[in-house]
């Protein structure tokens, strides 16, 4: 009897090993060879690659060599500096080519009509490596879910970003920005009327403050600490990105993985306490409203809500609530802080535009500490032009990717299952064929008649994506950026410091490697 049981267990074990081995052979050998054969047959080629490692070693070597250099101040043609490997491949193989991230084939698609085909349908998924990275950072929220689960998340999160709700958040944004400006005033006084200031640090802090207030309201202090832990989590995860291609690496009990796990547990515990405290307060006061902050609006939209779908139910409960709070912070904080930092650099470099924006702000919103509202922000046409141009030249997210889950035809191209499509946002934003010969120059006037007339293709300015998964926080980000800049421009004049080093780099988002140093004076 024992021998039969042992033989059965051994058979099951062998079958499991065979299954794993076959899966690895398919992933590492069969699928890559098939993709390469299909794409090469259609004339889409790229650099030769190492087995399993792909082009990673060469990519890292070239990027690190370029990262050690500074660019000339005022040079906004940053493609070959920020993405030198991709720029090199474009020169050698054309705008459409392929390279290998490990065993994962990446096909660069720069044709905007093909990109529109992909983004218009929610049938292409997030690549597994990107999914693993984001899942460790923000869990399974709006960004990382798909299908019916994503639809339910979107339905619940949407009300928080309704135009009416956003208008109510502007006074909070103004208050947070004014607090930062008060601190700047003290520094200017201490500096004798002029002070050198590194602004990226302040932009990060003020956007984090705004999101903590708008997400958690009266629980702002606790929410701010949660977000600080989330930033620590990002700093823990970032060094191990190169290991994500190794199957199962993130589950190994390494000191770094243990630190990441403990931070994740701490974040979830703190968020759970904030949510339970809000529920308790509502029950004790018998208040029908959960509040007008993001947390309250999501609590109102769902009480352990489920949605019937084919094959079962999609659930939105406590964990999903927490994951969307994390998503809201990371997506909103990082991108808006980066946008504001680059906008400050551009306005400090082009003081004529700074003066024009200031004059418009004073005309529409009044000077000094006069309160402003969302309707006033909507009238700031010149400031909108400046922000759009900053987003064009320095998009926080330089590439967008989608994984092909089934063989598909895009235009005349046959795209095989298992490949990843990469849409080069930075390259598209700097393409002279789309933006004219001054594509690498700071020219906000190109947006004078709106985004649609600024370029030769409606999708060339693809910052907030397109299709069903367009960025739900687009309106919030622009209201936040405008509010902060209104406060700054009404109270300060600034120009670029001679100590500023121009070195855009990729670290999650497109950032200035050494920050942005400006010389700040009160008006």
């Amino acid at each position: 009897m024992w021998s039969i049981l042992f033989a059965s267990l051994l058979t099951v074990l062998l079958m499991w090993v065979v299954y794993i081995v076959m899966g690895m052979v398919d992933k590492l050998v069969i699928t890559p060879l098939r993709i390469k054969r299909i794409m090469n047959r259609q004339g889409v080629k790229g650099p030769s690659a190492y087995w399993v490692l792909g082009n990673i070693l060469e990519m890292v070597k070239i990027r690190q060599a370029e990262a050690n250099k500074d660019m000339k101040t005022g040079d906004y043609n940053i493609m070959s500096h920020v993405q030198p490997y991709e720029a090199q491949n474009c020169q050698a193989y054309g705008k459409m080519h392929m390279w290998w991230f490990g065993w994962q084939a990446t096909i660069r698609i720069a044709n905007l009509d093909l990109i529109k085909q992909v983004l218009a349908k929610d049938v292409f998924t997030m690549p597994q490596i990107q999914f693993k990275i984001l899942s460790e950072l923000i869990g399974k929220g709006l960004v990382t879910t798909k299908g019916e689960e994503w639809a339910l998340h979107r339905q619940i999160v949407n009300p928080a970003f309704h135009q009416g709700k956003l208008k109510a958040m502007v006074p909070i944004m103004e208050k947070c920005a004014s607090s930062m400006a008060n601190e700047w005033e003290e520094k200017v006084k201490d500096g004798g009327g002029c002070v050198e200031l590194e602004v990226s640090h302040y932009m990060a802090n003020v956007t984090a403050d705004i999101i903590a207030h708008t997400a958690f309201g009266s629980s702002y202090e606790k929410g701010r600490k949660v977000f600080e832990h989330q930033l620590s989590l990002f700093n823990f995860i970032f060094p191990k990105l190169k290991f994500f291609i190794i199957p199962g690496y993130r589950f190994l009990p390494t000191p770094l993985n243990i630190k990441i796990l403990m931070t994740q547990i701490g974040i979830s515990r703190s968020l759970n306490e904030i949510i339970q405290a809000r529920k308790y307060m509502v029950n004790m006061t018998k208040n029908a409203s959960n509040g007008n902050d993001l947390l309250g609006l999501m609590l109102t939209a769902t009480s352990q809500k489920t949605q019937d779908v084919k094959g079962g139910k999609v659930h939105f409960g406590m964990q999903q609530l927490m994951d969307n709070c994390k998503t809201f912070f990371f997506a909103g904080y990082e991108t808006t802080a980066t946008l504001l930092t680059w906008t400050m650099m551009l306005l400090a470099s082009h003081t004529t535009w700074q003066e024009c924006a200031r004059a418009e702000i004073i005309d529409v919103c009044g000077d000094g500490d006069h309160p402003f509202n969302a309707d006033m922000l909507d009238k700031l046409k010149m400031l909108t032009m400046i922000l759009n141009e900053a987003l064009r030249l320095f998009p926080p997210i330089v590439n967008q990717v989608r994984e092909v889950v089934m063989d598909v035809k895009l235009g005349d191209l046959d795209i095989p299952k298992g490949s990843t499509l990469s849409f080069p946002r930075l390259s598209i934003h700097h393409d002279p064929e789309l933006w004219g010969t001054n594509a690498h120059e700071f020219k906000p006037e190109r947006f004078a008649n709106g985004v649609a007339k600024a370029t030769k293709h409606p999708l060339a300015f693809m910052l907030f994506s397109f299709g069903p998964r367009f960025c739900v926080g687009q309106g919030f980000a622009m209201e936040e950026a405008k509010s902060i800049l209104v406060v700054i421009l009404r109270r300060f004049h600034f120009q670029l410091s001679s100590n500023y080093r121009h070195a855009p780099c990729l670290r999650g988002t497109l950032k200035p490697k050494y920050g942005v140093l400006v010389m700040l004076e009160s008006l």
Side-chain angles (χ1 to χ4, degrees), residues 49-341:
Y50 292 104
W51 182 65
V52 180
L53 290 175
N55 301 115
I56 290 177
L57 297 179
E58 184 184 7
M59 189 186 306
V60 170
K61 181 181 177 181
I62 292 173
R63 181 176 288 182
Q64 286 179 342
E66 191 63 34
N68 292 328
K69 306 173 186 175
D70 287 2
M71 295 184 68
K72 181 181 177 181
T73 300
D75 183 1
Y76 307 142
N77 186 9
I78 63 174
M79 174 69 186
S80 59
H81 181 81
V82 174
Q83 296 179 295
Y85 186 69
E86 187 169 330
Q88 177 180 293
N89 286 339
C90 285
Q91 289 288 328
Y93 306 104
K95 287 186 177 181
M96 180 180 289
H97 60 262
M98 63 187 294
W99 74 93
W100 297 84
F101 189 81
W103 61 83
Q104 186 79 48
T106 302
I107 303 167
R108 185 183 191 269
I109 305 286
N111 183 299
L112 290 170
D113 292 321
L114 297 185
I115 293 173
K116 184 177 181 179
Q117 272 187 258
V118 175
L119 297 181
K121 300 177 182 178
D122 192 27
V123 295
F124 297 87
T125 65
M126 181 181 294
Q128 280 300 306
I129 292 175
Q130 187 183 26
F131 174 79
K132 290 173 184 176
I133 294 168
L134 287 175
S135 292
E136 287 214 359
L137 187 61
I138 59 177
K140 290 193 69 178
L142 186 64
V143 172
T144 49
T145 50
K146 57 186 178 181
E148 297 291 347
E149 189 177 9
W150 169 82
L152 180 59
H153 282 241
R154 184 76 176 218
Q155 175 188 337
I156 289 168
V157 171
N158 261 344
F161 295 96
H162 187 272
Q163 188 63 32
K165 302 294 184 185
L166 293 179
K167 286 184 176 183
M169 294 178 183
V170 168
I172 298 172
M173 296 173 181
E174 180 183 5
K175 181 180 178 181
C176 292
S178 296
S179 177
M180 178 191 71
N182 292 339
E183 186 179 345
W184 287 11
E185 290 277 10
E186 291 301 317
K187 289 186 175 295
V188 170
K189 287 179 185 177
D190 293 342
C194 183
V195 66
E196 185 180 66
L197 199 73
E198 198 290 290
V199 298
S200 67
H201 165 73
Y202 288 98
M203 295 304 103
N205 277 338
V206 72
T207 52
D209 279 346
I210 288 172
I211 291 176
H213 276 291
T214 53
F216 296 116
S218 59
S219 303
Y220 149 75
E221 291 289 352
K222 291 182 179 178
R224 188 73 165 81
K225 289 178 181 177
V226 170
F227 294 156
E228 287 171 3
H229 290 314
Q230 199 169 350
L231 285 177
S232 298
L233 180 62
F234 173 78
N235 291 327
F236 294 152
I237 290 173
F238 190 80
K240 77 167 193 174
L241 294 184
K242 54 183 174 289
F243 298 116
F244 269 88
I245 65 166
I246 303 174
Y249 175 82
R250 61 194 178 121
F251 300 112
L252 296 177
T254 65
L256 183 58
N257 282 345
I258 291 171
K259 191 181 290 186
I260 287 171
L261 177 62
M262 297 308 296
T263 306
Q264 289 170 331
I265 291 172
I267 290 171
S268 294
R269 185 183 295 122
S270 297
L271 281 172
N272 185 49
E273 288 173 1
I274 293 171
I275 294 168
Q276 294 300 342
R278 176 67 61 87
K279 288 183 173 182
Y280 177 77
M281 182 180 68
V282 171
N283 289 334
M284 287 296 292
T285 58
K286 296 182 179 179
N287 191 341
S289 171
N290 288 300
N292 288 320
D293 51 26
L294 177 72
L295 175 59
L297 292 169
M298 286 199 295
L299 281 169
T300 299
T302 176
S303 296
Q304 303 294 315
K305 186 170 182 177
T306 61
Q307 180 170 303
D308 292 314
V309 297
K310 186 177 180 181
K313 290 180 180 291
V314 175
H315 180 67
F316 193 102
M318 182 64 71
Q319 187 60 52
Q320 289 73 24
L321 202 58
M322 292 190 293
D323 288 346
N324 276 295
C325 286
K326 291 185 281 187
T327 298
F328 176 60
F329 169 73
F330 189 76
Y333 154 82
E334 184 75 9
T335 53
T336 310
T338 302
L339 162 62
L340 285 163
T341 299

Side-chain angles (χ1 to χ4, degrees), residues 31-41 44 47-49 98 100 105 416:
T31 296
L33 287 175
R34 177 176 180 266
I35 293 172
K36 185 176 181 180
R37 185 180 69 252
I38 292 173
M39 297 313 299
N40 285 355
R41 191 174 62 213
V44 181
S48 58
M98 63 187 294
W100 297 84

